Amino acid sequence: MASTLLNRASHSAIKSAVGSSSRSYAAVAVGTDLVSAAQGVSLQKARSWDEGVSSKFATTPLKDIFKDKKVVIFGLPGAYTGVCSQQHVPSYKNNIDKFKAKGIDSVICVAVNDPFVLNGWADKLEAKDSIEFYGDFDGSFHKSLELNKDLSVAFLGPRSQRWSAYVVDGKVKALNVEEAPSDFKVSGGDVILGQI
């Protein structure tokens, strides 16, 4: 019961802090070229520390992620958090065959976390075989697209909004941004499947 009350209190605090009555809009929109909008930004593929060392902490430029590909990408506030672990990632993992049947080359999860935390989380969710996880360790990708959100009230600091997009050759074809990071109404796998 105490955890239920805590969850409700946390949900209420997050909603009031981020403003549940006014929708936040990002600079990114349908038609945006993500590579151009976030010039010079690279993401960090989820991996173990040893893999990071052996790769000399290599990053992945956005053009390598999106060029000549059909990609479904979704962003979330953070690894190991409630809605992210229990609903958001599973909504993509459980639909991976449907995404592949629609010709999607990659399903990508991106969060303002380091790639090592994301690697451990992806292992825990048993999702590494179906979803590619990328860290946006300093939030530069989300800031470039104005999809960032300060969640200090929930002790998370600067994070991502909860969102999803269908992207073809770097261009956004469909975009969904939740009103609050604790919401899960428009950014799930089922919704984006219907937009492809």
Side-chain angles (χ1 to χ4, degrees), residues 89 93 121-133:
V89 171
K93 178 185 168 193
W121 185 49
D123 279 342
K124 182 177 173 66
L125 295 175
E126 298 177 352
K128 282 176 72 174
D129 291 336
S130 51
I131 299 170
E132 295 177 32
F133 288 78

Side-chain angles (χ1 to χ4, degrees), residues 97-115:
D97 291 335
K98 293 176 184 174
F99 285 117
K100 296 300 179 188
K102 288 194 173 225
I104 298 301
D105 296 302
S106 303
V107 175
I108 294 172
C109 173
V110 63
V112 182
N113 286 112
D114 66 69

Side-chain angles (χ1 to χ4, degrees), residues 1-138:
M1 174 146 168
S3 67
T4 302
L5 292 174
L6 180 59
N7 286 341
R8 285 184 185 157
S10 297
H11 181 75
S12 296
I14 290 172
K15 276 222 177 234
S16 64
V18 298
S20 61
S21 62
S22 64
R23 183 166 178 145
S24 53
Y25 291 94
V28 65
V30 171
T32 299
D33 181 325
L34 294 181
V35 178
S36 296
Q39 286 186 356
V41 172
S42 293
L43 297 174
Q44 310 83 43
K45 188 146 187 167
R47 58 191 171 224
S48 69
W49 180 260
D50 290 341
E51 290 168 327
V53 170
S54 68
S55 74
K56 297 183 177 155
F57 300 102
T59 60
T60 307
L62 294 181
K63 65 178 175 31
D64 293 351
I65 295 171
F66 296 110
K67 187 168 175 50
D68 299 324
K69 296 177 187 165
K70 292 181 181 177
V71 175
V72 168
I73 184 170
F74 63 103
L76 42 78
Y80 296 101
T81 56
V83 175
C84 303
S85 297
Q86 296 164 10
Q87 294 176 287
H88 209 173
V89 171
S91 77
Y92 288 87
K93 178 185 168 193
N94 297 337
N95 283 306
I96 198 65
D97 291 335
K98 293 176 184 174
F99 285 117
K100 296 300 179 188
K102 288 194 173 225
I104 298 301
D105 296 302
S106 303
V107 175
I108 294 172
C109 173
V110 63
V112 182
N113 286 112
D114 66 69
F116 317 111
V117 165
L118 285 175
N119 187 62
W121 185 49
D123 279 342
K124 182 177 173 66
L125 295 175
E126 298 177 352
K128 282 176 72 174
D129 291 336
S130 51
I131 299 170
E132 295 177 32
F133 288 78
Y134 284 90
D136 178 20
F137 82 97
D138 63 355

